[in-house]
Amino acid sequence: MGPNLWANFGEAVSMILFCIGFANLLLHKNLIKKIIGLNIMDSSIYLFLALKGYIAGHTVPIVVDGVQSVDAYINPIPSGLVLTGIVVSVSVTALMLSLTIRLYRRYQTLDLDEISKRLKKEGL
Amino acid sequence: MDFICNFPFFSIMISMFSGIVSAVLSRKAAKWLNLISIWVIWFLSAVLLYYIFGTGEIIVYKMGHFPAPWGNEIRAGLLEAGLALFFCSIMLLSMTGGRKKLMGEVVEEKHNLYYILVDLMLASLLALIYTNDLFTAYVFVEINTISACGLIMIRQNGRTIEAAVRYMIMSLLGSGLLLMGICMLYDITGHLLMSNIRDAVSSIYSAGTYPVPLTVTIILLTCGLAMKSALFPFHTWVADAYGYSTVSSAAILSSLVSKGYIILLIKIIYRVIGFEVYRASHIIDVVFVFGLAGMIMGSISAIRENDIRRMIAYSSVAQIGYIYMGIGLGTRYAMIASIFHILSHAATKSMLFIGAIGLTDVSKGSRHFEELTGSGYRHKIAGITFAVGSLSMVGIPLFSGFISKLLFAQAAVLNTRKMLPALIVLAISTILNAIYFMKTVIRIYTPTEEEGERITMKQEKVYALTCICFIALNIFIGMCSQPIVDWIGAGIDMFA
Amino acid sequence: MKKLTNKLLNWLNAEDTSVFDNAMELKMQEPKEEKEETVEQRMRDRLHIKDEVYSESETKEVKVLRIIYRTLAIILCAFIAYNLLIAVSWLPRTGEFDKPVNNEVSARYIEKGLQETGAVNIVTGMILDYRAFDTFGESNVLNIATITVLILLRRNKKKLPNEIEEKENDRLLEPKNDVILQKAATFLVPAIFLFGIYVILNGHLSPGGGFSGGAIIGAGLILYVSAFGFEKTEKFFTEKTQKVISLSALLFYCLAKSYSFFTGANELESHIPLGKAGAILSSGLILPLNICVGLVVAVTMYTFYCMFRKGEF
């Protein structure tokens, strides 16, 4: 275990959240809970990325009073990347939820294994 | 700089533009716009390939007024232009071959939405080939994932929607791992542009700072992309997804989508991490082992299948195992063999799907082997197509599969440590391939007494033309393989 | 005496049953009729017994397998967590200035961002000018997600609804006329729209931008539709509106950015003025692009809501 575990406290929390989301995905049978697990995993990665830009003592990267030195503002790049990532996460969640609605309407169950069993019985 | 240097940018923008506009067009207009844009990109890529052959220099194109690393950048070399040309041709042939089935299987109002998905899939593949920035690659990987999911479920029966759910779960897991790898890499190097990252990584590696995060990053990137391209333990979604969707979707998915991610992985190995560093971390051995396992397990699952399209889907798993074995061998020659196999497999697999749909058409629409007996006599051109595809997969000389197996064997011999397992598994998997493919070919050419419906070439002219083009492409890759191998070699040297 | 003996013999042989006439109550047996319900009940019981006997949730092997799968899943997650924590512990310290991440790339964004892009908000300048290709890809992610949701959930107008669809379509039963919601919406919705427009227009001067502002306007539209129902919203937001707005916004984005990329790569002069820093009409293309992105996001959010709720606009 390296030297920076306590200093990188936020990143450690995001890794634990990632694994909680992954366990959620594996252990629940309900499809909506699996989608929530995927969401938790994505959010933990954005937390990890957003912490990259933080510099203690510096402020938001919006130019006030014409101050434009590197010592006054945090790193703006991770914030921009997280913006892109959040939109991607919303889009895939919407897609997965609409797939779930279609499956539920047809089979009246949210259990993916149950649906596979019924499909095998139906044959095709 | 010449006007031709704008062509990679034009290719990406034309496909995105047609994807945006097709939302309001009618079915016919969307179909023609799709066809015209793919042809235009085909011509642009051909001219670009010829130009780069002439000058021998890489084209570096900055997107916007600021040079990289402050702005985005795309890069086109020999390999990229040729791959773009090849992918366009495969997409053209797949769309024409499956068009008639599309009319029957998809609801009328949703046809133009299908063409939007195909346009954006082409745009994301081109962007993955040409990009030089790691975060742009991630965004276009997401576009690729969503449009692949749309292609699977356009047919809308219960099987395809369940297959789409399984595909999305596995794929989103892979994307999450990929994004985490990119974030960690950004943390230890501070750059998002591929060439700058490689300089930083080589200095980190030689100085010995951050050894653990570097290894973990390489693991995350490889795992994420392997999950998305259906390497062995992550291949469960393949059979349902390729087996039940409409046929042009299955052809595009199996030949182009997984290959896009493998090309991104090869790009990351060469341009982000550097081949030496990648070989020194022993991830490459793990990739090799999983490639070998995929080759055997894919073939065993295919032998047990009773449905022709699921059998072809499982054979895809085996072929992707071949490609990862080539990457795992870890030499330049093995990488050339892998890229050649990408081309050969893309051409052959789509040909198999298009041929199989012709065979099921004359067997009352059923896909099980009992009804398919003798269908080679009822629909002659589909039977020939399927037979040529099977011979190429097994590795008979004259077709492209033989050349790729030969290149793999030569590459394996050059690497002394991994030679024995690679050659043994190559031999075993060839025998397994022969078992299930030859069994199918013999079955479709066994005469039966039943009179099913017959389809002749005159009745389906477009389909017959597509099949002939596929056969010609396969024989071309098989016979004129030396120029192609030289081109790939020159492209890889330019790649780094 | 003979009569009695005959009677006795007849009774013994049971030939003459007339002796029983009017002496015993005997009813003719009717053929056995079963009611429909009992037959059905017997069939259901049979299936129920079959399900119970062959049930997968109760057999011992399946239970053991499930326990093994769960333990392995938890061990795998714990193992991955441990490895990732080790990796995190070797990363550079958070919050320090002297990290590889703070190099010349971010230095140029901070020091020269205002002069080169004209935007006071450095992050907006970065995503809409320096790294505009990523944002273009991201708008296309929204576009293609809308397309797939439309494929899955949009109801065919021409298809005649058959019985099963009518039963499933409980979404036609909308809640009507909730007084509290309507009164609250009457003064909240204009405020939300105004705030959303403010956030979009000031994207380059203060925190905000197209994405956040678009989400706010989308939320306002959803509140309006929840309070007043689809009848009123159909008057100004139909399917044609959605198509027109998203097509024109994305098309403008595509063409404007293509012009910008083309002039940039070929070292041509782009004739878009940067304006005075700090004014609303400044920073070249950033303000129109923010408006386009905001419109696309708002329409997308509203489309998702309508598709999930009703299947049509």
Side-chain angles (χ1 to χ4, degrees):
Chain A
M1 201 63 88
N4 290 334
L5 186 60
W6 186 246
N8 290 344
F9 170 65
E11 276 100 340
V13 166
S14 82
M15 291 302 161
I16 297 181
L17 270 177
F18 183 81
C19 291
I20 292 179
F22 188 43
N24 222 341
L25 185 62
L26 287 178
L27 293 177
H28 278 290
K29 285 204 289 194
N30 191 335
L31 204 50
I32 303 255
K33 294 190 183 171
K34 287 196 205 232
I35 297 176
I36 294 180
L38 279 171
N39 245 328
I40 295 179
M41 280 166 56
D42 276 340
S43 305
S44 71
I45 301 180
Y46 302 140
L47 173 65
F48 181 72
L49 185 52
L51 280 169
K52 298 287 166 239
Y54 177 60
I55 306 177
H58 297 199
T59 175
V60 179
I62 297 181
V63 178
V64 272
D65 298 330
V67 176
Q68 273 187 290
S69 94
V70 191
D71 294 321
Y73 301 118
I74 64 170
N75 195 345
I77 300 179
S79 316
L81 302 182
V82 167
L83 264 178
T84 307
I86 292 180
V87 172
V88 165
S89 172
V90 163
S91 308
V92 295
T93 307
L95 174 59
M96 296 254 357
L97 286 173
S98 46
L99 282 170
T100 312
I101 291 181
R102 279 297 295 259
L103 277 180
Y104 183 74
R105 252 197 263 161
R106 186 156 164 167
Y107 294 108
Q108 262 78 43
T109 171
L110 279 174
D111 186 353
L112 204 55
D113 298 327
E114 178 72 31
I115 295 176
S116 309
K117 250 193 289 175
R118 281 196 218 172
L119 277 171
K120 286 205 186 87
K121 268 199 227 152
E122 269 180 27
L124 199 68
Chain B
M1 82 183 195
D2 299 333
F3 187 67
I4 293 192
C5 298
N6 286 318
F7 281 3
F9 165 68
F10 282 163
S11 324
I12 303 179
M13 281 300 160
I14 288 177
S15 41
M16 286 193 141
F17 175 77
S18 47
I20 294 175
V21 168
S22 299
V24 291
L25 295 178
S26 70
R27 179 179 62 84
K28 273 206 164 190
K31 173 178 96 165
W32 282 110
L33 184 61
N34 182 25
L35 206 58
I36 292 175
S37 60
I38 302 183
W39 271 112
V40 167
I41 298 177
W42 192 89
F43 275 119
L44 291 178
S45 307
V47 172
L48 184 68
L49 182 63
Y50 185 66
Y51 173 78
I52 298 184
F53 243 135
T55 61
E57 285 176 357
I58 312 174
I59 299 178
V60 173
Y61 189 88
K62 62 176 188 197
M63 307 276 268
H65 295 273
F66 307 101
W70 295 280
N72 281 323
E73 185 183 80
I74 56 181
R75 225 169 94 141
L78 263 186
L79 192 60
E80 289 97 328
L83 280 174
L85 178 66
F86 187 74
F87 282 177
C88 278
S89 7
I90 298 287
M91 190 166 270
L92 260 176
L93 289 173
S94 308
M95 288 301 290
T96 6
R99 205 180 294 282
K100 198 149 176 264
K101 281 308 243 183
L102 195 66
M103 306 285 293
E105 289 176 356
V106 177
V107 178
E108 277 277 332
E109 293 106 22
K110 308 211 167 153
H111 269 208
N112 65 334
L113 300 176
Y114 182 71
Y115 289 118
I116 299 182
L117 290 172
V118 173
D119 283 327
L120 282 172
M121 162 77 71
L122 183 62
S124 66
L125 279 172
L126 290 172
L128 281 180
I129 293 176
Y130 284 130
T131 183
N132 203 18
D133 185 292
L134 208 48
F135 198 72
T136 314
Y138 170 70
V139 173
F140 281 96
V141 158
E142 291 297 321
I143 295 185
N144 210 344
T145 307
I146 299 182
S147 46
C149 177
L151 283 180
I152 296 177
M153 56 134 186
I154 193 78
R155 197 174 165 194
Q156 293 194 19
N157 52 21
R159 279 274 192 190
T160 50
I161 298 187
E162 188 238 352
V165 169
R166 284 192 194 275
Y167 169 70
M168 281 303 282
I169 291 180
M170 190 66 88
S171 212
L172 287 177
L173 205 52
S175 293
L177 290 177
L178 180 67
L179 185 59
M180 189 174 322
I182 293 179
C183 297
M184 245 191 236
L185 200 57
Y186 175 63
D187 199 15
I188 54 182
T189 58
H191 286 111
L192 283 172
L193 191 72
M194 290 189 182
S195 336
N196 290 13
I197 298 183
R198 194 184 45 192
D199 299 331
V201 163
S202 51
S203 67
I204 287 178
Y205 183 69
S206 42
T209 56
Y210 308 126
V212 173
L214 189 61
T215 320
V216 171
T217 305
I218 297 178
I219 295 178
L220 285 172
L221 287 171
T222 313
C223 251
L225 284 172
M227 273 185 171
K228 295 181 80 94
S229 54
L231 183 54
F232 164 59
F234 312 119
H235 67 286
T236 47
W237 54 271
V238 167
D240 284 329
Y242 296 175
Y244 297 107
S245 51
T246 178
V247 79
S248 51
S249 301
I252 293 180
L253 279 167
S254 61
S255 25
L256 299 183
V257 169
S258 6
K259 308 304 178 300
Y261 300 129
I262 299 182
I263 290 179
L264 184 63
L265 181 63
I266 295 180
K267 222 189 221 199
I268 287 181
I269 293 177
Y270 271 104
R271 239 190 261 177
V272 172
I273 300 181
F275 206 31
E276 297 306 324
V277 178
Y278 197 78
R279 212 179 356 200
S281 76
H282 292 285
I283 311 299
I284 213 165
D285 300 333
V286 179
V287 166
F288 180 68
V289 168
F290 276 123
L292 292 180
M295 282 157 77
I296 307 235
M297 295 306 296
S299 298
I300 292 182
S301 308
I303 294 179
R304 292 197 306 203
E305 276 295 332
N306 196 20
D307 177 339
I308 193 173
R309 280 180 64 178
R310 285 178 69 113
M311 181 192 87
I312 303 178
Y314 274 119
S315 111
S316 272
V317 173
Q319 301 297 316
I320 293 197
Y322 273 79
I323 300 177
Y324 273 102
M325 175 192 81
I327 295 181
L329 277 173
T331 60
R332 176 179 171 272
Y333 201 70
M335 202 61 89
I336 295 180
S338 288
I339 298 184
F340 188 86
H341 195 65
I342 289 179
L343 302 178
S344 149
H345 178 236
T348 317
K349 195 42 67 76
S350 30
M351 178 161 76
L352 279 173
F353 272 115
I354 304 273
I357 205 67
L359 294 175
T360 53
D361 271 343
V362 288
S363 314
K364 305 181 214 129
S366 150
R367 318 135 113 202
H368 297 282
F369 283 136
E370 291 88 37
E371 279 95 9
L372 281 172
T373 319
S375 44
Y377 294 116
R378 299 199 284 265
H379 192 164
K380 294 207 168 51
I381 189 74
I384 297 179
T385 314
F386 195 85
V388 166
S390 309
L391 291 175
S392 165
M393 280 286 172
V394 171
I396 308 287
L398 184 73
F399 302 113
S400 58
F402 169 66
I403 304 287
S404 53
K405 286 200 201 276
L406 188 63
L407 288 174
F408 275 127
Q410 281 177 339
V413 166
L414 287 176
N415 179 343
T416 49
R417 254 183 42 207
K418 297 176 183 162
M419 170 174 82
L420 211 50
L423 285 178
I424 293 178
V425 174
L426 206 55
I428 296 179
S429 93
T430 309
I431 298 178
L432 291 174
N433 276 351
I435 293 179
Y436 59 86
F437 270 121
M438 286 299 117
K439 164 182 92 158
T440 318
V441 171
I442 292 176
R443 192 180 261 280
I444 66 176
Y445 277 116
T446 311
T448 57
E449 301 87 29
E450 291 182 16
E451 280 293 319
E453 78 181 87
R454 283 171 183 269
I455 298 185
T456 59
M457 266 173 72
K458 288 205 187 50
Q459 285 173 317
E460 296 199 359
K461 294 202 191 71
V462 175
Y463 178 82
L465 189 61
T466 316
C467 291
I468 294 178
C469 286
F470 263 127
I471 297 177
L473 184 65
N474 202 326
I475 297 185
F476 171 70
I477 298 182
M479 300 288 283
C480 313
S481 60
Q482 195 55 38
I484 298 184
V485 171
D486 293 335
W487 157 64
I488 297 178
I492 286 191
D493 294 329
M494 252 195 213
F495 211 43
Chain C
M1 183 65 185
K2 225 183 181 173
K3 223 176 174 183
L4 268 173
T5 332
N6 273 346
K7 258 194 177 173
L8 187 64
L9 282 171
N10 273 339
W11 177 74
L12 274 175
N13 292 332
E15 279 166 359
D16 184 14
T17 51
S18 62
V19 97
F20 294 121
D21 284 346
N22 304 325
M24 284 170 73
E25 294 285 329
L26 265 183
K27 250 183 4 182
M28 286 290 294
Q29 265 204 342
E30 287 149 20
K32 190 153 183 245
E33 256 180 19
E34 281 195 290
K35 283 194 267 184
E36 280 282 324
E37 296 96 20
T38 43
V39 173
E40 278 178 17
Q41 180 71 26
R42 200 166 60 221
M43 294 297 144
R44 255 180 277 146
D45 283 342
R46 198 176 287 173
L47 279 175
H48 183 65
I49 292 176
K50 204 184 199 186
D51 276 340
E52 282 266 349
V53 167
Y54 291 112
S55 127
E56 286 200 9
S57 50
E58 305 298 322
T59 43
K60 193 148 163 258
E61 286 90 2
V62 176
K63 273 191 181 164
V64 164
L65 212 62
R66 188 173 299 162
I67 293 178
I68 294 181
Y69 169 72
R70 282 173 184 247
T71 348
L72 278 180
I74 296 182
I75 293 180
L76 177 70
C77 290
F79 178 67
I80 294 180
Y82 181 65
N83 282 332
L84 286 174
L85 282 177
I86 294 184
V88 158
S89 68
W90 285 102
L91 283 175
R93 287 173 176 253
T94 325
E96 278 188 4
F97 186 61
D98 190 16
K99 285 203 302 188
V101 195
N102 303 322
N103 50 9
E104 72 271 9
V105 183
S106 55
R108 178 167 168 175
Y109 287 160
I110 296 179
E111 286 166 3
K112 303 217 198 82
L114 183 56
Q115 282 83 23
E116 287 180 349
T117 65
V120 174
N121 184 349
I122 300 178
V123 176
T124 306
M126 183 190 100
I127 60 174
L128 283 176
D129 203 348
Y130 285 105
R131 301 183 68 95
F133 194 46
D134 293 344
T135 318
F136 182 47
E138 173 192 354
S139 320
N140 273 294
V141 171
L142 268 179
N143 183 26
I144 200 171
T146 317
I147 300 289
T148 42
V149 170
L150 283 175
I151 290 178
L152 279 173
L153 293 179
R154 189 171 70 183
R155 295 171 61 204
N156 294 332
K157 287 172 285 219
K158 300 181 198 140
K159 197 167 91 169
L160 298 168
N162 50 6
E163 276 182 37
I164 306 178
E165 276 220 26
E166 284 289 351
K167 256 189 255 165
E168 285 172 358
N169 202 359
D170 59 347
R171 298 173 295 185
L172 289 177
L173 309 165
E174 287 176 13
K176 320 252 177 235
N177 289 336
D178 191 322
V179 177
I180 300 181
L181 196 54
Q182 285 189 347
K183 294 296 177 214
T186 323
F187 68 87
L188 272 180
V189 168
I192 294 179
F193 279 165
L194 211 56
F195 182 55
I197 295 178
Y198 164 77
V199 166
I200 293 182
L201 287 181
N202 270 325
H204 56 287
L205 298 175
S206 66
F211 295 103
S212 8
I216 295 175
I217 294 185
L221 275 172
I222 293 177
L223 177 60
Y224 186 80
V225 116
S226 304
F228 293 106
F230 280 99
E231 308 269 331
K232 275 209 174 180
T233 328
E234 263 174 10
K235 294 198 180 106
F236 63 89
F237 199 105
T238 59
E239 183 176 341
K240 201 160 169 233
T241 325
Q242 182 254 337
K243 278 190 186 169
V244 164
I245 291 184
S246 63
L247 171 75
S248 47
L250 281 171
L251 208 57
F252 178 78
Y253 196 129
C254 181
L255 293 172
K257 265 306 155 187
S258 306
Y259 172 71
S260 170
F261 291 152
F262 185 71
T263 53
N266 291 325
E267 313 280 351
L268 300 171
E269 181 72 37
S270 115
H271 299 287
I272 302 176
L274 277 183
K276 187 171 91 76
I280 283 240
L281 285 176
S282 64
S283 74
L285 273 179
I286 293 188
L287 180 64
L289 290 181
N290 255 334
I291 298 178
C292 292
V293 169
L295 283 174
V296 168
V297 173
V299 164
T300 304
M301 292 293 143
Y302 183 66
T303 309
F304 284 161
Y305 180 76
C306 286
M307 286 296 121
F308 285 169
R309 170 101 176 254
K310 204 167 167 235
E312 57 193 3
F313 289 98

